[in-house]
Amino acid sequence: MAHKLPLSAFIIALNEADRIGPVIRAVRDWVDEVVVIDSGSTDGTQALAASLGARVIHHDWPGYGQQKRFGEMECRHDWLLNIDADEEAVPELEAEVRALFATGSPPLQGYRIQTVMTLDGQARPHRFAPRHNYIRLYDRRHGHFADSETHDAVIMESGAVGQIKSIIIHRSIRSHADLINKLNRYSSAQAAEIIARGKARRFSALRLMAEFPVNLLRYFFLKGYWVFGLQGLEIAAIIAFFRFARIAKVRENLRKG
């Protein structure tokens, strides 16, 4: 068996027993540790993750960025791989990351990895499927997650960032109901953060009216949800509505003073 890399993979989780198993199995044989930060699951996520070899830590939910910063500090290695509980690394990623560690530490201080969306029944993503390209492999001595309730992107304070070719499969949609519940919570948190930062006044009535149609077209055509056909249109419409709802919640709070 190949040696494990001096690398910690960490995952934040809440009620992910239905999908965290493949996520852990995809990396546990080549990273030195898998750390799961659980914020109070009631579906057995903790026991399942522990049975697969992960170190499970409870931490009450403070927000997306803050929870990931807590996870960073709980890892025993400086080099980190951040994956979400619905993201499965493809086998090719192992070989590519091993090559970076072949002569010691990777030559750069951070690496972007594309996460590519799939729906139920798809073994691999469509080549034009929706995707994000964020820093996921990084040295915490040079970068860390933003201290934000709603934004969970790595901020590099020094060093250089490269691109990894292999992808992570993102199985983000359980159901329309689950997506609606998630986006309702997220849009409320976004609205609160916008108000707290004093940026509420930029959301005019014109922006409110334009938000749904503009984002429906943006997500369906530009972001690639068209590859899923009518189901992609449904998902794009749900996302566009909650982009609208975020602004409506901001304006509602302003009216309430």
Side-chain angles (χ1 to χ4, degrees):
M1 183 180 293
H3 71 282
K4 293 187 177 183
L5 298 173
L7 173 65
S8 297
F10 72 99
I11 306 165
I12 64 171
L14 176 65
N15 293 327
E16 298 287 357
D18 60 324
R19 53 189 182 180
I20 200 171
V23 177
I24 295 173
R25 293 187 191 98
V27 298
R28 66 179 180 179
D29 291 335
W30 52 276
V31 302
D32 187 52
E33 66 168 350
V34 177
V35 180
V36 173
I37 311 301
D38 187 88
S39 52
S41 295
T42 57
D43 66 346
T45 295
Q46 305 95 322
L48 175 60
S51 73
L52 295 172
R55 177 162 57 94
V56 181
I57 303 167
H58 174 83
H59 189 251
D60 289 339
W61 181 254
Y64 288 93
Q66 295 99 325
Q67 190 77 329
K68 291 199 172 186
R69 291 196 76 167
F70 177 83
E72 290 173 333
M73 294 301 100
E74 289 298 317
C75 294
R76 64 172 169 253
H77 292 289
D78 288 322
W79 270 96
L80 308 177
L81 174 66
N82 174 244
I83 46 179
D84 286 340
D86 56 1
E87 297 177 344
E88 182 182 345
V90 298
E92 297 87 344
L93 184 64
E94 176 185 354
E96 195 167 352
V97 175
R98 283 191 180 279
L100 293 175
F101 281 88
T103 57
S105 293
L108 304 181
Q109 290 67 51
Y111 294 86
R112 297 181 183 276
I113 305 175
Q114 290 193 78
T115 57
V116 187
M117 183 176 167
T118 64
L119 299 182
D120 285 345
Q122 294 181 301
R124 295 287 292 224
H126 189 286
R127 64 180 295 188
F128 297 118
R131 63 195 61 215
H132 294 104
N133 192 27
Y134 296 136
I135 298 170
R136 293 304 192 94
L137 177 68
Y138 62 101
D139 185 337
R140 67 183 176 189
R141 294 167 294 188
H142 294 271
H144 54 78
F145 272 91
D147 185 14
S148 167
E149 186 177 350
T150 60
H151 299 289
D152 57 348
V154 172
I155 299 170
M156 297 299 293
E157 296 183 337
S158 59
V161 177
Q163 179 69 51
I164 285 179
K165 295 179 181 178
S166 302
I167 66 168
I168 293 174
I169 298 172
H170 189 195
R171 296 188 174 92
S172 62
I173 307 293
R174 283 188 176 110
S175 65
H176 287 350
D178 185 69
L179 178 62
I180 288 167
N181 288 334
K182 176 182 176 181
L183 291 178
N184 189 39
R185 294 190 302 270
Y186 191 67
S187 62
S188 293
Q190 282 186 315
E193 189 168 61
I194 287 166
I195 292 167
R197 293 185 176 184
K199 297 182 178 180
R201 296 295 176 185
R202 67 182 182 179
F203 293 104
S204 65
L206 181 62
R207 172 78 181 269
L208 178 73
M209 290 186 290
E211 196 75 1
F212 178 82
V214 167
N215 278 286
L216 177 61
L217 296 174
R218 175 174 168 241
Y219 277 86
F220 187 67
F221 291 108
L222 298 182
K223 287 189 171 289
Y225 284 77
W226 61 266
V227 305
F228 304 128
L230 286 177
Q231 188 176 359
L233 180 61
E234 293 161 6
I235 295 169
I238 291 169
I239 295 171
F241 170 77
F242 280 103
R243 298 283 297 185
F244 163 86
R246 176 187 62 151
I247 297 176
K249 290 175 182 181
V250 169
R251 292 174 61 84
E252 179 185 47
N253 277 281
L254 287 178
R255 286 194 297 271
K256 291 180 178 179

